[in-house]
Amino acid sequence: MYSQDAISGRRRSGGGRPEPTPEMISGLACLICGTDYRNAPDADVMVVSHRNDAQLLACRGTCARLASGSPTGLDEMPLPLDERMRRHQAADRS
């Protein structure tokens, strides 16, 4: 996970939050720090928002707080990683 200084610097430099990547929209990467959950399957992820019926995820703690206002995100369980990967691959094909 990134340090608070790195996250704050990223927020200041962009003039706002950049558009989420396809991986972020599919729940395969953290909405804030960009951690790829396919490479970090033990990451403690939280659902922080929804977009087009997809769960947007962030790492527990600072990232979740920045994305949702709560360090534990929404009271919702994230879909399993293999299901998120399957949906991402299906979206790529369409």
Side-chain angles (χ1 to χ4, degrees):
M1 193 159 61
Y2 290 90
S3 71
Q4 180 66 38
D5 291 337
I7 292 169
S8 296
R10 178 178 170 193
R11 288 186 359 210
R12 281 192 306 270
S13 66
R17 198 175 289 162
E19 275 298 304
T21 65
E23 288 77 14
M24 290 174 177
I25 293 171
S26 296
L28 299 178
C30 177
L31 192 60
I32 300 298
C33 71
T35 295
D36 189 331
Y37 299 132
R38 295 169 290 188
N39 298 328
D42 295 334
D44 197 4
V45 301
M46 315 273 47
V47 177
V48 293
S49 186
H50 293 91
R51 182 175 182 163
N52 299 332
D53 296 326
Q55 295 177 330
L56 298 180
L57 305 178
C59 302
R60 178 186 294 271
T62 302
C63 292
R65 188 176 73 242
L66 289 170
S68 71
S70 169
T72 58
L74 304 177
D75 188 20
E76 180 178 344
M77 290 297 297
L79 293 171
L81 179 60
D82 59 339
E83 176 65 16
R84 297 188 315 248
M85 289 175 60
R86 186 187 63 74
R87 290 180 181 200
H88 179 71
Q89 290 169 346
D92 278 349
R93 288 185 209 126
S94 55

Coordinates of all heavy atoms in Angstrom, one line a residue:
M1 N 0.8 -1.2 0.0 CA 0.0 0.0 0.0 C 0.9 1.2 0.0 O 2.0 1.2 0.5 CB -0.9 0.0 1.2 CG -2.0 1.0 1.2 SD -3.4 0.6 2.2 CE -2.7 0.7 3.8
Y2 N 0.4 2.3 -0.6 CA 1.2 3.5 -0.7 C 1.1 4.3 0.6 O 0.2 4.2 1.4 CB 0.7 4.4 -1.8 CG 1.0 3.8 -3.2 CD1 0.2 3.0 -3.8 CD2 2.2 4.2 -3.8 CE1 0.5 2.4 -5.0 CE2 2.5 3.6 -5.0 CZ 1.6 2.8 -5.6 OH 2.0 2.2 -6.8
S3 N 2.1 5.2 0.8 CA 2.1 6.0 2.0 C 1.1 7.2 1.9 O 0.6 7.5 0.8 CB 3.5 6.6 2.2 OG 3.7 7.6 1.3
Q4 N 0.7 7.7 3.0 CA -0.2 8.8 3.0 C 0.3 10.0 2.2 O -0.4 10.6 1.5 CB -0.5 9.3 4.5 CG -1.5 10.4 4.5 CD -2.9 10.1 4.1 OE1 -3.4 9.0 4.3 NE2 -3.6 10.9 3.4
D5 N 1.6 10.3 2.3 CA 2.2 11.4 1.5 C 2.1 11.1 0.0 O 1.8 12.0 -0.8 CB 3.7 11.5 1.9 CG 3.9 12.1 3.2 OD1 2.9 12.7 3.8 OD2 5.0 11.9 3.8
A6 N 2.3 9.9 -0.4 CA 2.2 9.5 -1.8 C 0.8 9.7 -2.3 O 0.5 10.2 -3.4 CB 2.7 8.1 -2.1
I7 N -0.2 9.3 -1.5 CA -1.6 9.4 -1.9 C -2.0 10.9 -2.0 O -2.6 11.3 -2.9 CB -2.5 8.6 -1.0 CG1 -2.2 7.1 -1.2 CG2 -3.9 8.9 -1.2 CD1 -2.8 6.2 -0.1
S8 N -1.6 11.6 -1.0 CA -1.9 13.1 -1.0 C -1.3 13.8 -2.2 O -1.9 14.6 -2.8 CB -1.4 13.7 0.3 OG -2.1 13.2 1.4
G9 N -0.1 13.4 -2.5 CA 0.6 14.0 -3.6 C -0.1 13.7 -4.9 O -0.2 14.5 -5.8
R10 N -0.6 12.5 -5.1 CA -1.3 12.1 -6.3 C -2.6 12.9 -6.4 O -3.0 13.3 -7.5 CB -1.6 10.6 -6.2 CG -2.4 10.1 -7.4 CD -2.6 8.6 -7.3 NE -3.5 8.3 -8.4 CZ -4.1 7.1 -8.5 NH1 -3.9 6.2 -7.6 NH2 -5.0 6.9 -9.4
R11 N -3.3 13.1 -5.3 CA -4.6 13.8 -5.3 C -4.3 15.2 -5.7 O -5.1 15.8 -6.4 CB -5.3 13.7 -4.0 CG -5.8 12.4 -3.7 CD -6.7 12.3 -2.4 NE -6.7 13.5 -1.7 CZ -6.9 13.6 -0.4 NH1 -6.9 12.5 0.3 NH2 -7.0 14.7 0.3
R12 N -3.3 15.9 -5.2 CA -3.0 17.3 -5.5 C -2.6 17.5 -6.9 O -2.9 18.4 -7.5 CB -1.9 17.8 -4.6 CG -2.3 18.2 -3.2 CD -1.3 18.9 -2.4 NE 0.0 18.3 -2.4 CZ 0.4 17.4 -1.5 NH1 -0.4 17.1 -0.5 NH2 1.6 16.8 -1.5
S13 N -1.8 16.6 -7.5 CA -1.2 16.8 -8.8 C -2.1 16.6 -9.9 O -1.9 17.2 -11.0 CB 0.0 15.8 -9.0 OG -0.5 14.5 -9.0
G14 N -3.2 15.9 -9.8 CA -4.1 15.7 -10.9 C -5.3 16.6 -11.0 O -6.0 16.6 -12.0
G15 N -5.5 17.5 -10.1 CA -6.6 18.4 -10.1 C -7.9 17.6 -10.0 O -9.0 18.1 -10.4
G16 N -7.9 16.5 -9.4 CA -9.0 15.6 -9.2 C -8.6 14.2 -9.5 O -7.5 13.9 -9.9
R17 N -9.5 13.3 -9.2 CA -9.2 11.9 -9.3 C -9.3 11.5 -10.8 O -10.3 11.8 -11.4 CB -10.2 11.1 -8.5 CG -9.7 9.7 -8.2 CD -10.7 9.0 -7.3 NE -10.5 9.5 -5.9 CZ -11.4 9.3 -5.0 NH1 -12.5 8.7 -5.2 NH2 -11.2 9.8 -3.8
P18 N -8.4 10.8 -11.3 CA -8.4 10.4 -12.7 C -9.5 9.3 -12.9 O -10.0 8.7 -11.9 CB -7.1 9.8 -13.0 CG -6.5 9.4 -11.7 CD -7.1 10.3 -10.7
E19 N -10.0 9.1 -14.1 CA -11.0 8.1 -14.4 C -10.4 6.7 -14.1 O -9.2 6.4 -14.3 CB -11.3 8.1 -15.9 CG -12.3 9.1 -16.4 CD -13.7 8.8 -15.7 OE1 -14.2 7.7 -15.8 OE2 -14.2 9.8 -15.1
P20 N -11.3 5.9 -13.5 CA -10.8 4.5 -13.1 C -10.5 3.7 -14.4 O -11.1 3.9 -15.4 CB -12.0 3.9 -12.5 CG -13.0 5.0 -12.1 CD -12.6 6.2 -13.1
T21 N -9.5 2.9 -14.3 CA -9.1 2.0 -15.4 C -10.1 0.9 -15.5 O -10.8 0.6 -14.6 CB -7.7 1.4 -15.1 OG1 -7.7 0.6 -14.0 CG2 -6.6 2.5 -14.9
P22 N -10.1 0.1 -16.6 CA -10.9 -1.0 -16.7 C -10.7 -2.0 -15.6 O -11.7 -2.7 -15.1 CB -10.6 -1.6 -18.1 CG -10.1 -0.4 -18.9 CD -9.4 0.4 -17.9
E23 N -9.5 -2.2 -15.1 CA -9.2 -3.1 -14.1 C -9.8 -2.6 -12.7 O -10.3 -3.4 -11.9 CB -7.7 -3.3 -13.9 CG -7.0 -4.1 -15.0 CD -6.8 -3.3 -16.3 OE1 -6.9 -2.0 -16.3 OE2 -6.5 -3.9 -17.3
M24 N -9.8 -1.3 -12.5 CA -10.4 -0.8 -11.3 C -11.9 -1.0 -11.3 O -12.5 -1.3 -10.3 CB -10.1 0.7 -11.2 CG -8.7 1.0 -10.8 SD -8.4 2.8 -10.9 CE -6.6 2.8 -10.3
I25 N -12.5 -0.8 -12.5 CA -14.0 -0.9 -12.6 C -14.4 -2.4 -12.5 O -15.4 -2.7 -11.9 CB -14.5 -0.4 -14.0 CG1 -14.3 1.1 -14.0 CG2 -15.9 -0.8 -14.3 CD1 -14.5 1.8 -15.3
S26 N -13.5 -3.3 -12.8 CA -13.8 -4.7 -12.7 C -13.4 -5.3 -11.3 O -13.6 -6.4 -11.0 CB -12.9 -5.6 -13.7 OG -13.4 -5.2 -15.0
G27 N -12.9 -4.4 -10.4 CA -12.6 -4.9 -9.1 C -11.3 -5.6 -9.0 O -11.0 -6.4 -8.1
L28 N -10.4 -5.4 -10.0 CA -9.1 -6.1 -10.0 C -8.0 -5.3 -9.5 O -6.8 -5.7 -9.4 CB -8.8 -6.6 -11.5 CG -9.8 -7.6 -12.0 CD1 -9.4 -8.0 -13.5 CD2 -9.9 -8.8 -11.2
A29 N -8.2 -4.0 -9.3 CA -7.2 -3.1 -8.8 C -7.8 -2.0 -7.9 O -9.0 -1.7 -8.0 CB -6.5 -2.3 -10.0
C30 N -7.0 -1.6 -6.9 CA -7.5 -0.6 -5.9 C -7.8 0.7 -6.6 O -7.1 1.2 -7.5 CB -6.4 -0.3 -4.9 SG -6.8 1.0 -3.7
L31 N -8.9 1.3 -6.3 CA -9.4 2.5 -6.9 C -8.5 3.7 -6.6 O -8.4 4.7 -7.3 CB -10.8 2.8 -6.4 CG -11.6 3.9 -7.0 CD1 -11.8 3.6 -8.5 CD2 -12.9 4.1 -6.3
I32 N -7.7 3.7 -5.5 CA -6.9 4.8 -5.0 C -5.4 4.5 -5.4 O -4.8 5.3 -6.1 CB -7.1 5.0 -3.5 CG1 -8.5 5.4 -3.2 CG2 -6.1 6.2 -3.1 CD1 -9.0 6.6 -3.8
C33 N -4.8 3.5 -4.9 CA -3.4 3.3 -5.0 C -3.0 2.4 -6.2 O -1.9 2.3 -6.6 CB -2.8 2.7 -3.8 SG -3.2 0.9 -3.4
G34 N -4.0 1.7 -6.8 CA -3.8 0.9 -8.0 C -3.2 -0.5 -7.8 O -2.8 -1.1 -8.8
T35 N -3.1 -0.9 -6.5 CA -2.7 -2.3 -6.3 C -3.4 -3.3 -7.1 O -4.7 -3.2 -7.1 CB -2.8 -2.6 -4.8 OG1 -2.0 -1.8 -4.0 CG2 -2.5 -4.1 -4.5
D36 N -2.7 -4.1 -7.9 CA -3.4 -5.1 -8.7 C -3.6 -6.3 -7.8 O -2.7 -7.0 -7.4 CB -2.5 -5.5 -9.9 CG -3.1 -6.3 -10.9 OD1 -4.0 -7.1 -10.5 OD2 -2.8 -6.2 -12.1
Y37 N -4.9 -6.6 -7.6 CA -5.3 -7.7 -6.7 C -5.0 -9.1 -7.3 O -4.9 -10.1 -6.6 CB -6.7 -7.6 -6.3 CG -7.0 -6.3 -5.5 CD1 -8.1 -5.6 -5.9 CD2 -6.2 -5.9 -4.5 CE1 -8.4 -4.4 -5.2 CE2 -6.5 -4.7 -3.8 CZ -7.6 -4.0 -4.2 OH -7.9 -2.8 -3.5
R38 N -4.7 -9.2 -8.6 CA -4.3 -10.4 -9.2 C -2.9 -10.8 -8.8 O -2.6 -12.0 -8.7 CB -4.4 -10.4 -10.7 CG -5.8 -10.1 -11.2 CD -5.9 -9.8 -12.7 NE -5.3 -8.5 -12.9 CZ -5.3 -7.8 -14.0 NH1 -5.8 -8.4 -15.1 NH2 -4.8 -6.6 -14.1
N39 N -2.1 -9.8 -8.5 CA -0.7 -10.0 -8.0 C -0.6 -10.0 -6.5 O 0.4 -10.3 -5.9 CB 0.2 -9.0 -8.6 CG 0.3 -9.0 -10.1 OD1 0.1 -10.1 -10.7 ND2 0.4 -7.9 -10.7
A40 N -1.7 -9.6 -5.8 CA -1.7 -9.5 -4.4 C -3.0 -10.1 -3.9 O -3.9 -9.4 -3.3 CB -1.6 -8.0 -3.9
P41 N -3.2 -11.4 -4.1 CA -4.5 -12.0 -3.7 C -4.9 -12.0 -2.3 O -6.0 -12.1 -1.9 CB -4.4 -13.5 -4.2 CG -2.9 -13.7 -4.3 CD -2.2 -12.4 -4.6
D42 N -3.9 -11.8 -1.4 CA -4.2 -11.7 0.1 C -4.5 -10.3 0.5 O -4.7 -10.1 1.7 CB -3.0 -12.2 0.9 CG -2.7 -13.7 0.6 OD1 -3.7 -14.4 0.2 OD2 -1.6 -14.2 0.7
A43 N -4.6 -9.4 -0.4 CA -4.9 -8.0 0.0 C -6.2 -7.9 0.6 O -7.2 -8.6 0.2 CB -4.8 -7.1 -1.2
D44 N -6.4 -7.1 1.7 CA -7.6 -6.9 2.4 C -8.4 -5.8 1.6 O -8.2 -4.7 1.8 CB -7.3 -6.5 3.8 CG -8.5 -6.7 4.7 OD1 -9.6 -7.2 4.3 OD2 -8.4 -6.3 5.9
V45 N -9.3 -6.3 0.8 CA -10.1 -5.3 -0.1 C -11.5 -5.1 0.5 O -12.1 -5.9 1.2 CB -10.2 -5.8 -1.5 CG1 -8.8 -6.0 -2.1 CG2 -11.0 -7.1 -1.6
M46 N -12.0 -3.8 0.2 CA -13.3 -3.4 0.7 C -14.0 -2.8 -0.5 O -13.5 -2.2 -1.4 CB -13.1 -2.3 1.7 CG -12.1 -2.5 2.8 SD -12.5 -3.4 4.2 CE -13.4 -4.8 3.9
V47 N -15.3 -3.1 -0.5 CA -16.2 -2.4 -1.5 C -16.4 -1.0 -1.1 O -16.8 -0.7 0.1 CB -17.6 -3.2 -1.6 CG1 -18.5 -2.4 -2.6 CG2 -17.4 -4.6 -2.0
V48 N -16.1 0.0 -2.0 CA -16.2 1.4 -1.6 C -17.2 2.1 -2.4 O -17.6 3.2 -2.1 CB -14.8 2.1 -1.7 CG1 -13.9 1.5 -0.6 CG2 -14.2 2.0 -3.0
S49 N -17.6 1.6 -3.5 CA -18.6 2.2 -4.4 C -19.1 1.2 -5.5 O -18.6 0.1 -5.5 CB -17.9 3.4 -5.1 OG -18.9 4.2 -5.8
H50 N -20.0 1.7 -6.3 CA -20.4 0.9 -7.5 C -20.4 1.8 -8.7 O -20.6 3.0 -8.6 CB -21.9 0.4 -7.2 CG -22.0 -0.5 -6.1 ND1 -22.2 -0.2 -4.8 CD2 -21.8 -1.9 -6.1 CE1 -22.2 -1.3 -4.1 NE2 -22.0 -2.3 -4.8
R51 N -20.2 1.2 -9.8 CA -20.3 1.9 -11.1 C -20.8 0.9 -12.1 O -20.2 -0.2 -12.3 CB -18.9 2.4 -11.5 CG -18.9 3.1 -12.8 CD -17.5 3.7 -13.1 NE -17.5 4.5 -14.3 CZ -16.6 5.3 -14.6 NH1 -15.6 5.6 -13.8 NH2 -16.7 6.0 -15.7
N52 N -21.9 1.2 -12.8 CA -22.5 0.3 -13.8 C -22.7 -1.1 -13.3 O -22.3 -2.1 -13.9 CB -21.6 0.3 -15.1 CG -21.5 1.6 -15.7 OD1 -22.4 2.5 -15.6 ND2 -20.4 1.9 -16.4
D53 N -23.2 -1.2 -12.1 CA -23.5 -2.5 -11.4 C -22.2 -3.3 -11.1 O -22.3 -4.5 -10.9 CB -24.4 -3.4 -12.3 CG -25.8 -2.7 -12.4 OD1 -26.3 -2.1 -11.4 OD2 -26.4 -2.9 -13.5
A54 N -21.1 -2.7 -11.1 CA -19.8 -3.3 -10.7 C -19.4 -2.7 -9.4 O -19.6 -1.6 -9.1 CB -18.8 -3.1 -11.8
Q55 N -18.7 -3.6 -8.6 CA -18.2 -3.1 -7.3 C -16.8 -2.5 -7.6 O -16.0 -3.0 -8.3 CB -17.9 -4.3 -6.4 CG -19.1 -5.0 -5.9 CD -18.8 -6.3 -5.1 OE1 -17.8 -6.9 -5.2 NE2 -19.7 -6.6 -4.1
L56 N -16.6 -1.3 -7.0 CA -15.3 -0.6 -7.0 C -14.7 -0.9 -5.7 O -15.3 -0.8 -4.6 CB -15.5 0.9 -7.2 CG -16.1 1.3 -8.5 CD1 -16.2 2.8 -8.6 CD2 -15.3 0.7 -9.7
L57 N -13.4 -1.4 -5.7 CA -12.7 -1.8 -4.5 C -11.5 -1.0 -4.1 O -11.0 -0.3 -5.0 CB -12.3 -3.3 -4.7 CG -13.3 -4.3 -5.1 CD1 -12.7 -5.7 -5.3 CD2 -14.4 -4.4 -4.1
A58 N -11.2 -1.0 -2.9 CA -10.0 -0.3 -2.4 C -9.4 -1.1 -1.2 O -10.1 -1.9 -0.6 CB -10.3 1.1 -1.9
C59 N -8.1 -0.9 -1.0 CA -7.5 -1.5 0.1 C -8.1 -1.0 1.4 O -8.4 0.2 1.5 CB -6.0 -1.2 0.1 SG -5.1 -1.7 -1.4
R60 N -8.2 -1.9 2.4 CA -8.7 -1.5 3.7 C -7.8 -0.4 4.3 O -6.6 -0.4 4.2 CB -8.7 -2.7 4.7 CG -9.2 -2.3 6.1 CD -9.1 -3.4 7.1 NE -10.0 -4.5 6.8 CZ -11.3 -4.6 7.2 NH1 -11.7 -3.7 8.0 NH2 -12.0 -5.6 6.9
G61 N -8.4 0.6 5.0 CA -7.6 1.6 5.7 C -7.6 2.9 4.9 O -8.7 3.4 4.5
T62 N -6.5 3.5 4.6 CA -6.3 4.8 4.0 C -7.0 4.9 2.6 O -7.8 5.8 2.4 CB -4.9 5.2 3.9 OG1 -4.3 5.2 5.1 CG2 -4.7 6.6 3.2
C63 N -6.8 3.9 1.8 CA -7.4 3.9 0.5 C -8.9 3.8 0.6 O -9.6 4.6 -0.1 CB -6.9 2.7 -0.4 SG -5.2 2.9 -0.8
A64 N -9.5 3.0 1.4 CA -10.9 2.9 1.6 C -11.5 4.2 2.1 O -12.5 4.6 1.7 CB -11.3 1.7 2.5
R65 N -10.8 4.8 3.1 CA -11.3 6.0 3.6 C -11.3 7.1 2.6 O -12.2 7.9 2.5 CB -10.4 6.4 4.8 CG -11.0 7.6 5.6 CD -10.2 8.0 6.8 NE -8.9 8.6 6.4 CZ -7.7 8.1 6.7 NH1 -7.6 7.0 7.4 NH2 -6.7 8.7 6.4
L66 N -10.2 7.2 1.8 CA -10.2 8.2 0.7 C -11.3 8.0 -0.3 O -11.8 9.0 -0.9 CB -8.8 8.2 0.0 CG -7.7 8.8 0.9 CD1 -6.3 8.5 0.2 CD2 -7.9 10.3 1.1
A67 N -11.6 6.8 -0.6 CA -12.6 6.5 -1.6 C -14.0 6.6 -1.1 O -14.9 7.0 -1.9 CB -12.4 5.1 -2.2
S68 N -14.3 6.2 0.1 CA -15.7 6.1 0.6 C -15.9 6.9 1.9 O -17.1 7.1 2.3 CB -16.0 4.7 0.9 OG -15.4 4.2 2.0
G69 N -14.9 7.4 2.5 CA -15.1 8.1 3.8 C -15.0 7.2 5.0 O -15.1 7.7 6.1
S70 N -14.9 5.9 4.8 CA -14.8 4.9 5.9 C -13.6 4.0 5.6 O -13.5 3.5 4.5 CB -16.1 4.1 5.9 OG -15.9 3.0 6.8
P71 N -12.8 3.7 6.6 CA -11.6 2.8 6.4 C -12.1 1.4 6.2 O -11.3 0.6 5.7 CB -10.8 2.9 7.7 CG -11.8 3.5 8.7 CD -12.8 4.3 8.0
T72 N -13.3 1.1 6.4 CA -13.8 -0.3 6.1 C -14.8 -0.3 5.0 O -15.4 -1.4 4.7 CB -14.5 -0.9 7.4 OG1 -15.6 0.0 7.8 CG2 -13.5 -1.0 8.5
G73 N -14.9 0.7 4.2 CA -15.7 0.8 3.0 C -17.2 0.6 3.3 O -17.7 0.9 4.4
L74 N -17.9 0.0 2.4 CA -19.4 -0.2 2.5 C -19.5 -1.6 3.2 O -18.7 -2.4 3.2 CB -20.0 -0.3 1.2 CG -19.9 1.0 0.3 CD1 -20.5 0.7 -1.1 CD2 -20.4 2.2 1.0
D75 N -20.7 -1.8 3.8 CA -21.0 -3.0 4.5 C -21.5 -4.1 3.4 O -22.6 -4.4 3.3 CB -22.1 -2.8 5.5 CG -22.3 -4.0 6.4 OD1 -21.4 -4.9 6.5 OD2 -23.4 -4.1 7.0
E76 N -20.5 -4.5 2.6 CA -20.8 -5.4 1.5 C -19.5 -6.2 1.2 O -18.4 -5.7 1.2 CB -21.2 -4.6 0.3 CG -21.5 -5.4 -0.9 CD -21.9 -4.5 -2.1 OE1 -22.2 -3.3 -1.9 OE2 -21.8 -5.0 -3.2
M77 N -19.7 -7.5 1.0 CA -18.6 -8.4 0.7 C -18.2 -8.3 -0.8 O -19.1 -8.3 -1.6 CB -18.9 -9.9 1.0 CG -19.1 -10.2 2.5 SD -17.5 -9.9 3.4 CE -16.5 -11.1 2.7
P78 N -16.9 -8.2 -1.1 CA -16.5 -8.1 -2.5 C -16.7 -9.5 -3.1 O -16.6 -10.5 -2.4 CB -15.0 -7.8 -2.4 CG -14.6 -7.9 -1.0 CD -15.8 -8.0 -0.2
L79 N -16.9 -9.5 -4.4 CA -17.0 -10.8 -5.1 C -15.7 -11.5 -5.0 O -14.6 -10.8 -5.0 CB -17.4 -10.5 -6.6 CG -18.8 -10.0 -6.8 CD1 -18.9 -9.6 -8.3 CD2 -19.8 -11.0 -6.4
P80 N -15.7 -12.8 -5.1 CA -14.4 -13.5 -5.2 C -13.5 -13.1 -6.4 O -14.1 -12.7 -7.4 CB -14.8 -15.0 -5.3 CG -16.2 -15.1 -4.8 CD -16.8 -13.7 -5.2
L81 N -12.2 -13.1 -6.2 CA -11.3 -12.7 -7.2 C -11.5 -13.4 -8.6 O -11.6 -12.8 -9.6 CB -9.8 -12.9 -6.8 CG -8.8 -12.5 -7.8 CD1 -8.9 -11.0 -8.2 CD2 -7.4 -12.9 -7.3
D82 N -11.8 -14.7 -8.5 CA -12.0 -15.5 -9.8 C -13.2 -15.0 -10.5 O -13.3 -14.9 -11.7 CB -12.0 -17.0 -9.6 CG -13.0 -17.5 -8.6 OD1 -13.5 -16.7 -7.8 OD2 -13.4 -18.7 -8.7
E83 N -14.3 -14.6 -9.8 CA -15.5 -14.1 -10.4 C -15.2 -12.7 -11.0 O -15.7 -12.4 -12.1 CB -16.6 -14.0 -9.3 CG -17.9 -13.4 -9.9 CD -18.6 -14.2 -10.9 OE1 -18.3 -15.4 -11.1 OE2 -19.5 -13.6 -11.6
R84 N -14.5 -11.9 -10.3 CA -14.2 -10.6 -10.8 C -13.3 -10.7 -12.1 O -13.5 -10.0 -13.1 CB -13.4 -9.7 -9.8 CG -14.3 -9.4 -8.6 CD -13.6 -8.5 -7.6 NE -12.2 -8.7 -7.3 CZ -11.8 -9.1 -6.1 NH1 -12.6 -9.3 -5.1 NH2 -10.5 -9.2 -5.9
M85 N -12.4 -11.6 -12.1 CA -11.6 -11.9 -13.3 C -12.4 -12.4 -14.5 O -12.2 -11.9 -15.6 CB -10.4 -12.9 -13.0 CG -9.4 -12.3 -12.1 SD -8.1 -13.4 -11.6 CE -7.4 -13.9 -13.1
R86 N -13.3 -13.3 -14.2 CA -14.2 -13.8 -15.3 C -15.1 -12.7 -15.9 O -15.2 -12.6 -17.1 CB -15.1 -14.9 -14.7 CG -16.0 -15.6 -15.8 CD -17.0 -16.6 -15.1 NE -18.0 -15.9 -14.3 CZ -19.0 -15.1 -14.8 NH1 -19.1 -14.9 -16.0 NH2 -19.9 -14.6 -13.9
R87 N -15.6 -11.8 -15.0 CA -16.4 -10.7 -15.5 C -15.6 -9.7 -16.3 O -16.0 -9.2 -17.3 CB -17.1 -10.0 -14.4 CG -18.2 -10.8 -13.7 CD -18.9 -10.1 -12.6 NE -19.9 -10.9 -12.0 CZ -20.9 -10.4 -11.3 NH1 -21.0 -9.1 -11.0 NH2 -21.8 -11.2 -10.8
H88 N -14.4 -9.5 -15.9 CA -13.4 -8.6 -16.6 C -13.1 -9.1 -18.0 O -13.2 -8.4 -19.0 CB -12.2 -8.4 -15.8 CG -11.2 -7.5 -16.5 ND1 -11.4 -6.1 -16.6 CD2 -10.0 -7.7 -17.1 CE1 -10.3 -5.6 -17.2 NE2 -9.5 -6.6 -17.5
Q89 N -12.9 -10.4 -18.1 CA -12.6 -11.0 -19.4 C -13.8 -11.0 -20.3 O -13.7 -10.8 -21.5 CB -12.1 -12.5 -19.2 CG -10.7 -12.5 -18.6 CD -10.3 -13.9 -18.1 OE1 -11.2 -14.8 -18.0 NE2 -9.1 -14.1 -17.8
A90 N -15.0 -11.2 -19.7 CA -16.2 -11.2 -20.5 C -16.4 -9.7 -21.1 O -16.9 -9.6 -22.2 CB -17.4 -11.6 -19.7
A91 N -16.2 -8.7 -20.2 CA -16.3 -7.3 -20.7 C -15.3 -7.0 -21.8 O -15.7 -6.2 -22.7 CB -16.1 -6.4 -19.5
D92 N -14.1 -7.6 -21.7 CA -13.1 -7.3 -22.8 C -13.6 -7.9 -24.1 O -13.3 -7.3 -25.2 CB -11.8 -8.0 -22.4 CG -11.0 -7.1 -21.5 OD1 -11.3 -5.9 -21.3 OD2 -10.0 -7.6 -20.9
R93 N -14.3 -9.0 -24.1 CA -14.8 -9.7 -25.3 C -15.9 -8.9 -26.0 O -16.1 -9.0 -27.2 CB -15.2 -11.1 -25.0 CG -14.0 -12.0 -24.7 CD -14.5 -13.4 -24.6 NE -13.6 -14.1 -23.7 CZ -13.9 -14.7 -22.6 NH1 -15.2 -14.9 -22.3 NH2 -13.0 -15.3 -21.8
S94 N -16.7 -8.2 -25.2 CA -17.8 -7.5 -25.8 C -17.5 -6.1 -26.3 O -16.5 -5.6 -26.4 CB -18.9 -7.4 -24.8 OG -18.5 -6.7 -23.6

